[in-house]
Amino acid sequence: MRRQRGDRVRLSCPPVPGCRCRIRGLGRDAALAERLSRMGILPGMALEVTRVAPLGGTVELAVDPGQRLALRSGELAALDCEPLVLPLSHARLFGDRPLRVRGFAGGRALRIRMGARGLQPGTVLRLLDGASSAPRMVLAGGDPLTLGRGEARRVLVEPADAH
Amino acid sequence: MPTDRVTVALSAIPNTGKTTLFNRLTASNQSTGNWPGVSVERKTGRFTLGEYDVELVDLPGAYSLSPATQEERIVARYFLEDPPDVVLNLLDARNLYRGLGLTLQMAMSGLPMVVAVNMMDEARAQGLRLDLEALAEHLGVPVVGISARTGEGIPELLETLYRVIRHPETTRPPHLPCPPVLEEAVRDLTRRLERSGVVRRLNPAFVAMRMLEDPRRPESPELAQRAADWRRRIEALTHAPLAVTCAQCRFNAARGLALEVTRRHPPGPDPRSEAIDRILLHRWLGLPAFLLVMAGLFQLIYGLGTPLQDLLARGFEAGAAWIQAQGLFQSLPGWLQSFVIDGLWQGVGVVLSFFPIIVLFFVLMSLVEDSGYMARAAFLMDRLMHGLGLDGKAFINLLLGFGCNVPAVMGTRILSSPYNRIVTMLLIPFTLCSARLQVFVFLAAIFFDARTAPWVILGLYAASFAAVVGIGLVLRALRLAGRPEPFIMEIPPYRLPTPGTVLLRSWQELKDFLYRAATLILAGVIVVWLLTHLPPGEPPAGPGTWAGRLGHLLAPVFAPLGIHWQETLALLFGFIAKEIVIGALAVIYGTAELGQALAAGMTPLGALSFMVFVLLYTPCVATVAAIRAESRSWRVTLLSVTLGLTSAWLASLLVYQGGRALGLA
């Protein structure tokens, strides 16, 4: 993470489905900022990565009022965004804070499987080894849990102190 | 009798259904031209409204009047230099916020305005309720709810438009809360503008805003300097580009307005589109589905179009026979007979031969585009084109170029930026079209055995791909067509295309092709006839004709490629249409046993080099005409021909000399 003007840490939204961010700034690329702003995409808005193209490199975003956009991941990375919801696989971007399960990017089968392991919407947990993409964690009850890499991408978490 | 002429400008952000409304209002009464100085189409239509003869100007789809893209510069300049009598602004009922940014900007101009809120039917179906009266009150202009697809609300819209034309009231410009420094700048520039005494129909604050955003083109150098200074100050204070600051003011107001007039919110994004996209944009199913759609497109355009072309060609032969049987024709001198049949008649035939595929191409492309799948296809294919600086839509044009270059070049109009359009139309001529395939199949059968020939053809396809990628990278590196732009593409909800719009579009494309490209094609065919038949008395395409002499003159250039003057001459004929190369060789060698004659004079390696040359060299005259018509630039047209000739020469040299070095001769 690079330091920007002042003390603000420049954050960005990783190009993974389920990631939800709030735009803080449109980035330093003036051409990109102008093009986004004229479409009404401005600081303060929330955006969510809904899909990654099969060949990679391009993401689909849902922007606040039901608008869908395609953007390249490089351009997404140029935006200054504060993550609101992240998949567990990228939850280290939240730092050391306790996390709460927000939902699952998947169907009923995934929900049941995760429920059986103690994860359901609202479960609070703390990451032990955030650096690995197959994260180990402790649930609020004290039970340790390790998820597979694929599973971790589909469990969406937010900081437990968020509303 | 309609007597008074009024100009109404139709403006809307992309994907609002502007074309459908335009077609509904003006039906067949449309004409196209282009905006001054740029290659963007300017569409106008006429209709009568009571005693008024209304000229409806279809403004390019721009998101704002801030000059970030070519379209936006056009719209901004149009408002400043030639303001319309009335502005007809179109909004999408399902997403007012997005469209209101432009509406507010236009309302600032003070011009009389009518706002039409489109897709009311779809919004209702989604459970959305809008309070249009509140919107009208806030904007200070009449607002009408319509559905351009079904015709709902159109009579009311026309009535309102009539009322506004009859009693044009200057709109009270809405006030947008902006950062103090911006407001101060606008006030200062407004004062100076008013003092300069230029009486205009536009609100001076609107002109002041435009000057701030584009200080290059205002009233006086002194004002320009002033505007540029203000701009620097504002940007230093807000730490953001001016366009972003302005957008923020507009969209803050737009958000409030949208919230206020929306009585019931829809349940998020269109659920039907979501369901379709779960399959069509699926991680594993998306690409196969795309390939299926493309294969279907290709088959429908060329599988249906080619037999129709053959039918037309037979009709033309019959026509030629009929002409030749006429007494009047037979009384003409021989050279004139040949000119009429091989020059004029053939030229007209070449032009007409493109009709079936152009119509099919645009019918199907409109279906793909209007349905909303084009944006999905671009999303799926974007990664592949990224390296060339192009976006995913260009892929479809390039792919369809493998059938025929001409409609593919015409189709570049749908691409999103000038860079994309120019680069794509420069790359399309390197795709191996079906005309070239005919030449390759014929030659490969003569020079290679049945086992090798398919591999030769496959190799040529690979060479074609390589050429597209290679030339694309060169164009990008040399910046011959400007800079690539950031890729931000809206993914619109799926929508059923309206047959009327699709047919009208195809008809217009056909008309455009006839008007813009036909003359050039005819001229090209006639020039080739002149070269191959003059001076009089020489046998056609013989060594004594100008073309023959040219062939001999160029012999040293083509010798290192293993290509003789006879083939060089055939290449000249290939400019008319590449499949003519074979027929031309038969005429030049003066034999029906062309295979034997060719095999006697040429090695397989020479034939391969010749095929590579045919693959890459100058696009046929119809493609050149299409490039000229689409780019409206001789520079781009010339660049295309030059790129083709140089790369063909280099590649053939590589093949022939490389092959000889390997001992293949």
Side-chain angles (χ1 to χ4, degrees):
Chain A
M1 279 174 212
R2 267 174 295 156
R3 296 243 155 208
Q4 237 190 3
R5 203 179 51 241
D7 277 322
R8 239 165 53 158
V9 175
R10 189 183 162 285
L11 296 169
S12 65
C13 189
V16 279
C19 166
R20 195 175 156 80
C21 302
R22 185 167 302 284
I23 306 176
R24 296 198 304 188
L26 294 180
R28 269 185 264 185
D29 178 354
L32 177 67
E34 281 178 21
R35 275 174 179 68
L36 285 171
S37 69
R38 75 204 174 104
M39 295 171 93
I41 296 158
L42 290 159
M45 282 180 102
L47 52 85
E48 186 181 333
V49 179
T50 42
R51 233 179 233 112
V52 176
L55 300 171
T58 317
V59 294
E60 186 200 79
L61 303 175
V63 196
D64 241 359
Q67 193 179 351
R68 293 170 66 192
L69 287 181
L71 215 66
R72 292 193 178 129
S73 21
E75 280 150 6
L76 178 64
L79 291 182
D80 183 13
C81 287
E82 180 194 356
L84 302 174
V85 177
L86 286 171
L88 257 182
S89 50
H90 291 72
R92 59 179 174 279
L93 286 175
F94 283 136
D96 269 344
R97 291 186 280 178
L99 305 172
R100 182 170 53 216
V101 176
R102 161 98 178 210
F104 302 103
R108 225 162 60 94
L110 179 76
R111 237 180 7 250
I112 294 172
R113 207 165 67 233
M114 290 295 116
R117 305 184 65 178
L119 285 183
Q120 50 198 12
T123 308
V124 175
L125 54 89
R126 188 181 282 276
L127 278 183
L128 289 179
D129 182 9
S132 149
S133 54
R136 293 188 301 124
M137 65 203 80
V138 189
L139 303 187
D143 299 329
L145 177 64
T146 306
L147 288 186
R149 216 190 296 184
E151 289 169 327
R153 266 204 291 265
R154 299 166 74 184
V155 178
L156 305 176
V157 295
E158 59 189 347
D161 46 26
H163 303 292
Chain B
M1 251 331 262
T3 45
D4 292 327
R5 266 194 155 183
V6 271
T7 310
V8 175
L10 178 59
S11 81
I13 63 167
N15 297 313
T16 316
K18 184 163 60 83
T19 310
T20 315
L21 179 64
F22 185 77
N23 288 341
R24 188 170 274 282
L25 291 180
T26 61
S28 53
N29 212 346
Q30 303 179 358
S31 54
T32 54
N34 52 308
W35 293 92
V38 286
S39 68
V40 175
E41 191 181 44
R42 184 186 201 268
K43 234 164 61 177
T44 54
R46 289 183 176 285
F47 63 97
T48 40
L49 196 59
E51 69 269 35
Y52 299 106
D53 179 12
V54 177
E55 185 187 38
L56 191 65
V57 181
D58 186 13
L59 296 179
Y63 284 99
S64 74
L65 292 175
S66 314
T69 64
Q70 198 177 35
E71 281 79 9
E72 288 165 346
R73 275 190 294 276
I74 293 169
V75 178
R77 192 195 267 190
Y78 172 72
F79 264 76
L80 288 177
E81 288 175 0
D82 184 20
D85 297 310
V86 177
V87 180
L88 173 55
N89 179 249
L90 193 62
L91 288 169
D92 180 347
R94 296 164 310 168
N95 200 335
L96 285 180
Y97 165 74
R98 204 167 45 104
L100 275 172
L102 182 67
T103 310
L104 287 169
Q105 236 178 357
M106 300 224 152
M108 294 270 293
S109 70
L111 294 174
M113 184 159 143
V114 175
V115 170
V117 180
N118 195 12
M119 312 206 198
M120 286 302 276
D121 52 338
E122 286 177 53
R124 261 199 309 276
Q126 280 182 28
L128 184 72
R129 296 278 174 276
L130 296 177
D131 185 350
L132 297 185
E133 276 167 36
L135 185 61
E137 201 166 301
H138 280 285
L139 289 172
V141 303
V143 176
V144 188
I146 64 163
S147 166
R149 272 171 50 93
T150 63
E152 172 192 332
I154 299 292
E156 289 84 345
L157 175 64
L158 290 175
E159 208 173 288
T160 313
L161 206 55
Y162 177 76
R163 226 175 36 240
V164 171
I165 292 173
R166 184 133 199 194
H167 306 288
E169 276 178 44
T170 321
T171 311
R172 164 180 52 85
H175 179 77
L176 305 181
C178 289
V181 58
L182 181 55
E183 297 206 5
E184 199 189 328
V186 171
R187 266 201 306 277
D188 176 58
L189 291 172
T190 305
R191 254 198 322 274
R192 277 160 204 278
L193 270 169
E194 279 169 342
R195 217 178 306 148
S196 74
V198 198
V199 183
R200 331 181 47 141
R201 297 177 44 232
L202 294 169
N203 176 20
F206 174 81
V207 182
M209 276 306 295
R210 301 282 81 74
M211 274 171 59
L212 272 178
E213 287 183 327
D214 193 2
R216 275 167 304 173
R217 44 166 329 297
E219 323 299 309
S220 69
E222 182 213 343
L223 269 174
Q225 187 55 44
R226 187 96 192 152
D229 288 346
W230 271 116
R231 184 186 172 128
R232 259 194 300 280
R233 254 180 77 187
I234 297 166
E235 289 188 337
L237 274 168
T238 55
H239 302 294
L242 179 72
V244 175
T245 311
C246 293
Q248 222 147 2
C249 317
R250 292 202 293 282
F251 281 106
N252 279 341
R255 181 186 305 279
L257 204 50
L259 273 176
E260 201 161 324
V261 301
T262 308
R263 288 281 171 264
R264 250 177 70 197
H265 289 271
D270 181 22
R272 200 184 37 180
S273 296
E274 276 299 317
I276 300 175
D277 278 338
R278 264 200 285 282
I279 297 166
L280 290 185
L281 296 184
H282 187 270
R283 209 146 42 113
W284 307 115
L285 299 177
L287 287 180
F290 169 76
L291 291 179
L292 217 63
V293 171
M294 285 301 119
L297 264 185
F298 209 89
Q299 276 307 311
L300 281 172
I301 296 172
Y302 301 114
L304 228 61
T306 313
L308 284 174
Q309 279 183 304
D310 292 345
L311 207 68
L312 263 181
R314 272 206 293 283
F316 256 80
E317 277 164 31
W322 182 82
I323 292 175
Q324 278 162 332
Q326 298 307 303
L328 179 67
F329 179 82
Q330 283 163 354
S331 68
L332 295 174
W335 65 270
L336 197 57
Q337 285 188 8
S338 160
F339 177 73
V340 169
I341 295 296
D342 299 330
L344 280 181
W345 191 248
Q346 188 180 25
V348 174
V350 169
V351 172
L352 279 182
S353 70
F354 286 103
F355 279 22
I357 42 173
I358 287 176
V359 170
L360 284 167
F361 180 90
F362 280 103
V363 164
L364 289 159
M365 285 295 265
S366 304
L367 286 179
V368 172
E369 207 189 348
D370 294 354
S371 67
Y373 186 70
M374 186 65 89
R376 273 79 181 176
F379 174 70
L380 291 170
M381 280 299 126
D382 188 58
R383 185 76 197 84
L384 277 187
M385 304 309 290
H386 196 165
L388 301 182
L390 298 176
D391 65 29
K393 286 182 190 173
F395 182 85
I396 298 166
N397 281 282
L398 283 171
L399 194 68
L400 292 173
F402 280 89
C404 176
N405 291 178
V406 175
V409 167
M410 294 172 69
T412 55
R413 201 171 307 169
I414 60 160
L415 299 179
S416 50
S417 70
Y419 176 87
N420 277 320
R421 283 193 284 271
I422 303 281
V423 171
T424 310
M425 75 176 77
L426 286 174
L427 290 182
I428 286 170
F430 295 103
T431 55
L432 198 165
C433 68
S434 59
R436 274 169 264 195
L437 185 62
Q438 287 180 36
V439 179
F440 299 154
V441 168
F442 181 83
L443 290 178
I446 294 174
F447 287 97
F448 301 95
D449 59 54
R451 269 225 328 270
T452 332
W455 290 104
V456 171
I457 303 281
L458 200 67
L460 286 164
Y461 270 109
S464 169
F465 273 112
V468 168
V469 174
I471 304 276
L473 291 175
V474 168
L475 284 177
R476 186 179 188 177
L478 295 182
R479 297 219 180 285
L480 282 177
R483 278 164 190 280
E485 291 185 11
F487 171 75
I488 303 164
M489 183 183 64
E490 237 186 289
I491 302 186
Y494 285 107
R495 205 170 289 158
L496 266 182
T498 36
T501 306
V502 169
L503 291 178
L504 201 61
R505 162 106 188 262
S506 309
W507 164 240
Q508 274 163 354
E509 295 288 349
L510 197 59
K511 234 169 43 180
D512 274 10
F513 175 73
L514 202 58
Y515 287 160
R516 295 212 197 114
T519 345
L520 198 54
I521 297 177
L522 204 59
V525 174
I526 288 172
V527 166
V528 172
W529 183 88
L530 290 175
L531 283 176
T532 49
H533 289 74
L534 293 179
E538 289 291 333
T545 60
W546 289 347
R549 288 182 217 167
L550 195 67
H552 281 294
L553 204 67
L554 288 176
V557 179
F558 282 92
L561 314 182
I563 296 174
H564 312 304
W565 72 267
Q566 291 97 329
E567 283 92 42
T568 313
L569 200 53
L571 287 172
L572 183 66
F573 279 100
F575 181 57
I576 299 178
K578 296 219 169 166
E579 71 267 25
I580 294 183
V581 165
I582 302 292
L585 281 171
V587 173
I588 295 161
Y589 278 99
T591 166
E593 298 299 320
L594 182 57
Q596 287 172 12
L598 281 174
M602 224 180 190
T603 60
L605 184 62
L608 195 63
S609 156
F610 181 64
M611 284 193 262
V612 168
F613 201 90
V614 172
L615 172 66
L616 302 174
Y617 86 121
T618 174
C620 67
V621 64
T623 308
V624 170
I627 291 177
R628 161 71 197 143
E630 275 319 305
S631 67
R632 292 178 172 96
S633 148
W634 284 111
R635 201 185 76 90
V636 171
T637 316
L638 198 70
L639 183 61
S640 172
V641 173
T642 320
L643 266 178
L645 288 173
T646 19
S647 60
W649 192 82
L650 289 173
S652 294
L653 185 75
L654 195 72
V655 166
Y656 191 68
Q657 297 300 339
R660 276 173 41 132
L662 292 173
L664 292 176

